[in-house]
Amino acid sequence: MKAWTNVTTGAGEEIVCVQVDDGDPFAVLALGRHTVALTRDECRRIADALRAASHRHPARW
């Protein structure tokens, strides 16, 4: 199985891309021009932080 996702700007420029293959021990995270290989544990920690951020209530100004 291959899994991937990306986030782009309104103009179509890629901001974030994540790719992973079943046989590969690492996931590849690209942020703009920078690329990093993440372990499964690092992926889980990042996903947990993003999930927590997504559940926050909007700030009241």
Side-chain angles (χ1 to χ4, degrees):
M1 173 183 101
K2 285 189 171 194
W4 66 273
T5 190
N6 63 4
V7 176
T8 59
T9 65
E13 181 181 356
E14 190 174 85
I15 300 170
V16 177
C17 179
V18 178
Q19 298 178 28
V20 64
D21 288 312
D22 270 349
D24 192 346
F26 298 99
V28 177
L29 171 67
L31 295 167
R33 295 176 291 162
H34 303 283
T35 303
V36 63
L38 301 169
T39 65
R40 290 176 62 182
D41 185 55
E42 291 167 332
C43 289
R44 277 191 288 273
R45 291 192 328 239
I46 291 169
D48 289 346
L50 290 171
R51 191 173 301 107
S54 74
H55 290 294
R56 290 181 23 196
H57 294 290
R60 294 186 182 153
W61 299 98

